[in-house]
């Protein structure tokens, strides 16, 4: 990270960029936050860590009036930006992308649950994290606390960026989506029970929508009161309507970054939905969202050999 | 007067008063007092009439093991809803709840109650308890508490035991990081138009999770829900962090911008409210910090504002 920072600082000094968008480490509450660094001091604060739980793509559209900005991206964020460019939300020429290696993002709530005490410090190791606090020292293996979406990441590499910091052939993922398989194997009654249990916890705060880089509509269907598409309140059918409509809007656009799941204050496993559409699009259409800027969005394109078995 | 009562005995008395709802550590309590969804009325369309259904059935509850910060937040809710014009739905529910507050001995990383003048051992609620070797040291604080058991039958805790409670209190208070925001409230008005609000709110996604989980936030919205042939009117939580919260029928939105909403949340809690009512609209529970997906830390925000105010 340090050598990139040097390069970024000199770019800033030379006026090549207006600033750098990335995440800043925050000791507690274990969640790193986005910063648009416009000074060398601020650039020093940027970090790439397991605690970057959001998707940086969400924040690009917040920066107004710039000539060019640098953005630190991981695999899913690079694809997010490609998609946002393909959907004409941002202009790729005005971005300088730096690809970061990624070990996945932590599920902070699981970390807290696993430790169950007052955490003072977390040290990041190769395959684990070591937590220190009032319950002593505890080492937790990464695969226990990494977001489930990250364990079935479709592309950790960042082939389309302007500056690479990782080699491009390090991973040959086997895309198994274990969490989706688990649900698919249930019969419909158990499946309903599972989702009902999950969504009963929903407070309709819409954090999941707000952190999603692809949920950028100025006005969301669920907020509309004339007409009312989804009734307010907490009846399970209304809550599920919101989530199902949202996920349909996300099909082919979701990058399965998992930001929505990690943001949900109720710990609702939204990745079951996002991973399911990701998995189905790969299986049925060989489509991975955001691979390049040139590629058209899933629903922006029609191929004669598209599978049509869902059309009635 | 603190009494020493065997755990089982005490729990039996409580059970006789009402159904015990035990609050696990870290779980919100607001929903029990100000539910996220409160039905006002339910109606059915009949052939040529509309009938209203009976549906309210409120049972007596003992909300057990509330930490003192949340007990303080209930006092603040009471202040809002039990003043004139009194909220009858709130009152009916509130009257059916006995609040048993437990000394907080396990503060977490987010707590800052002491900075706001509160203590993890504040005597609040109807009964205050401290647990010790199979006993509760219990202190009745309201008339309602007196109904629960014949307190006179029980011995006072010994002087040594009382001292132990005090020592534990000091120990726990020391574990909580403390900062100073005295007099910040009035000064905040002077930075109303400062660019600090944009800086603070850059990361915020305006999801409102901080206010939904805040035990003191009480904003609500009344909605009519229309199902085929039946419907209901209900009160649901609302939040000033949402852009539609302040969206007016005219199409104008006085707080259309993100930073204006962040400013409203902080000003309501730490300026408008204390200036009007001499209390922060925050109890220092840290729940908002814990749930915020962007890790927005209200303590840091206050310290940053303090810097700006003093510049
Ligand atoms: S973030 Fe969680 S609680 Fe909030 S609306 Fe989304 S699923 Fe519901
Ligand atoms: S729906 Fe969730 S997983 Fe998909 S892009 Fe949005 S935040 Fe990421
Ligand atoms: S929870 Fe955090 S991101 Fe959501 S509205 Fe509150 S401060 Fe903003
Ligand atoms: S503002 Fe935050 S710390 Fe204060 S009472 Fe509300 S949730 Fe607790
Ligand atoms: S902070 Fe906002 S949501 Fe909370 S009580 Fe104040 S105005 Fe209402």
């Amino acid at each position: 990270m340090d050598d990139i920072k040097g390069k970024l600082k000199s770019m800033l000094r030379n006026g090549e960029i207006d600033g750098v968008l990335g995440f800043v480490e925050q000791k507690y509450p274990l969640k790193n936050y986005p910063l648009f660094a416009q000074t060398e001091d601020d650039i020093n604060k940027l970090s790439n860590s397991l605690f970057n739980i959001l998707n940086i793509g969400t924040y690009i559209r917040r920066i107004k009036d710039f000539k060019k900005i640098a953005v630190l991206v991981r695999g899913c964020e690079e694809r997010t930006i490609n998609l946002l460019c393909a959907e004409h939300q941002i202009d790729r020429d005005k971005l300088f992308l730096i690809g970061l290696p990624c070990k996945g993002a932590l599920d902070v709530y699981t970390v807290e649950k696993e430790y169950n005490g007052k955490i003072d410090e977390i040290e990041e190791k190769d395959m684990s994290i070591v937590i220190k606090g009032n319950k002593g020292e505890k080492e937790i293996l990464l695969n226990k606390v990494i977001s489930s979406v990250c364990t079935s990441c479709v592309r950790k590499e960042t082939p389309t960026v302007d500056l690479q910091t990782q080699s491009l052939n390090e991973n040959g993922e086997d895309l198994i989506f274990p969490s989706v398989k688990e649900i698919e194997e249930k019969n419909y009654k158990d499946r309903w029970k599972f989702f009902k249990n999950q969504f009963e916890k929903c407070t309709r705060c819409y954090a999941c929508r707000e952190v999603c880089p692809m949920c950028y509509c100025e006005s969301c269907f669920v907020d509309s009161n004339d007409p009312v598409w989804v009734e307010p309140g907490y009846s399970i059918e209304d809550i599920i309507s919101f989530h199902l409509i949202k996920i349909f809007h996300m099909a082919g656009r979701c990058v399965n970054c998992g930001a929505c799941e990690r943001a949900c204050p109720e710990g609702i496993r939204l990745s079951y939905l996002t991973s399911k559409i990701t998995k189905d699009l790969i299986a049925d259409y060989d489509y991975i969202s955001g691979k390049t800027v040139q590629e058209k969005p899933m629903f922006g394109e029609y191929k004669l050999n598209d599978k049509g078995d869902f059309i009635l | 007067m603190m009494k020493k009562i065997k755990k089982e005995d005490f729990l039996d008395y409580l059970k006789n008063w009402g159904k015990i709802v035990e609050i696990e550590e870290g779980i919100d309590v607001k929903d029990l007092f100000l539910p996220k969804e409160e039905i006002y009325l339910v109606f059915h369309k009949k052939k040529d009439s509309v009938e209203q259904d009976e549906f309210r059935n409120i049972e007596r509850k003992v909300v057990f093991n509330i930490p003192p910060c949340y007990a303080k937040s209930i006092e603040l809710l009471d202040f809002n809803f039990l003043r004139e014009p009194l909220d009858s739905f709130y009152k009916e529910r509130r009257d059916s709840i006995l609040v048993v507050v437990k000394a907080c001995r396990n503060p977490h990383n987010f707590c800052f109650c002491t900075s706001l003048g509160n203590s993890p051992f504040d005597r609040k609620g109807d009964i205050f308890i401290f647990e010790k070797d199979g006993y509760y040291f219990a202190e009745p604080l309201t008339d309602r508490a007196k109904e629960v058991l014949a307190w006179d039958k029980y011995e006072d805790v010994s002087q040594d035991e009382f001292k132990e409670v005090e020592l534990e209190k000091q120990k726990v208070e020391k574990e909580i990081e403390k900062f100073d925001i005295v007099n910040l409230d009035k000064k905040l008005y002077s930075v109303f138009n400062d660019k600090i609000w944009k800086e603070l709110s850059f990361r915020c996604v305006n999801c409102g999770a901080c206010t939904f989980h805040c035990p003191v936030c009480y904003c609500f919205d009344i909605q009519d829900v229309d199902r085929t042939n039946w419907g209901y009117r209900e009160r649901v939580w609302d939040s000033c962090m949402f852009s539609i919260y302040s969206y007016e029928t005219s199409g104008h939105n006085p707080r259309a911008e993100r930073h204006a909403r962040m400013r409203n949340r902080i000003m309501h809690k730490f300026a408008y409210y204390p200036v009007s009512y001499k209390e922060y609209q925050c109890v220092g529970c840290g729940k908002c910090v814990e749930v915020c997906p962007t890790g927005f830390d209200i303590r840091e925000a206050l310290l940053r504002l303090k810097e700006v105010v003093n510049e």
Side-chain angles (χ1 to χ4, degrees), chain B residues 41-198:
Chain B
L41 58 90
V42 183
F43 57 86
H44 271 93
K45 210 157 90 191
K46 291 277 147 67
K47 210 167 158 210
D48 34 32
S49 65
V50 175
E51 274 171 32
Q52 216 174 303
D53 299 6
E54 265 312 314
F55 65 95
R56 267 181 96 78
N57 175 20
I58 297 209
E59 49 170 4
R60 293 229 291 196
K61 273 191 206 129
V62 178
V63 184
F64 185 65
N65 279 354
I66 292 192
C69 55
Y70 283 172
K72 168 94 188 180
S73 74
I74 297 162
E75 284 178 8
L76 291 166
L77 288 181
D78 286 351
F79 178 65
N80 289 308
F81 289 102
L82 299 180
R83 254 185 311 164
E84 286 302 328
L86 184 118
D87 186 303
S88 57
F89 287 97
Y90 182 88
K91 182 167 183 347
E92 188 187 8
R93 185 181 304 279
R94 184 68 183 87
D95 284 346
S96 70
I97 298 177
L98 184 83
V99 176
V100 180
V101 173
K102 186 168 137 190
C104 163
R105 293 156 84 173
N106 196 9
H108 54 62
N109 297 63
F110 311 110
C111 297
F112 61 104
C113 56
T114 50
S115 302
L116 302 181
N118 304 325
S119 155
F121 275 57
D122 271 343
R123 310 294 204 257
K124 299 226 170 273
D126 294 302
I127 304 175
F128 173 84
I129 57 174
F130 176 91
E131 200 179 326
K132 174 89 211 284
D133 309 331
Y135 284 92
Y136 284 123
F137 300 170
E139 199 170 326
L141 301 163
T142 59
D143 287 342
R144 200 180 299 173
K146 300 210 176 93
E147 292 168 16
V148 177
L149 62 120
W151 293 88
D152 294 340
K153 255 180 42 195
Y154 289 90
E155 253 178 68
D156 285 356
V157 296
S158 71
Q159 280 213 324
D160 281 352
E161 283 164 337
F162 191 78
K163 224 190 238 154
E164 202 187 317
V165 178
E166 280 305 299
L167 281 176
E168 178 78 6
K169 170 181 166 180
Q170 284 162 21
K171 184 185 140 235
V172 178
E173 278 183 357
K174 248 187 240 135
E175 280 176 36
I176 302 170
E177 260 170 66
K178 198 169 170 178
F179 56 91
D180 168 24
I181 51 162
V182 179
N183 292 332
L184 183 66
D185 50 355
K186 290 191 195 72
K187 292 183 192 158
L188 278 179
Y189 288 84
S190 66
V191 292
F192 192 87
N193 289 318
D194 198 276
K195 61 180 190 315
I196 177 70
W197 302 107
K198 284 204 172 129

Side-chain angles (χ1 to χ4, degrees), chain A residues 26 59 62 119 205 238 266, chain B residues 109 202-203 207 213 227 295:
Chain A
Q26 174 160 264
Y59 289 89
R62 284 199 189 180
I119 299 173
C205 68
D238 297 325
E266 315 308 322
Chain B
N109 297 63
F202 180 74
R203 69 169 94 166
C207 66
H213 284 268
R227 312 265 186 219

Side-chain angles (χ1 to χ4, degrees), chain A residues 26 28-29 31 33 53-54 59 62 109 118-119 202-203 205 207 210 231-235 238 263 265-266, chain B residues 36-37 107-110 175 202-205 207 212-213 223 226-227 232 234 258 290-295:
Chain A
Q26 174 160 264
Y28 229 84
K31 294 168 189 166
Y33 62 88
I53 65 159
L54 299 179
Y59 289 89
R62 284 199 189 180
Y109 297 103
K118 198 164 179 255
I119 299 173
C202 178
T203 62
C205 68
E210 297 295 328
E231 295 284 358
Y234 297 93
S235 299
D238 297 325
E266 315 308 322
Chain B
K36 63 183 178 189
E37 178 171 47
H108 54 62
N109 297 63
F110 311 110
E175 280 176 36
F202 180 74
R203 69 169 94 166
C204 172
V205 292
C207 66
F212 275 12
H213 284 268
Q223 293 274 359
D226 179 12
R227 312 265 186 219
Y232 46 95
E234 61 176 359
R258 212 172 282 286
E290 183 186 338
V291 298
C292 174
T294 70

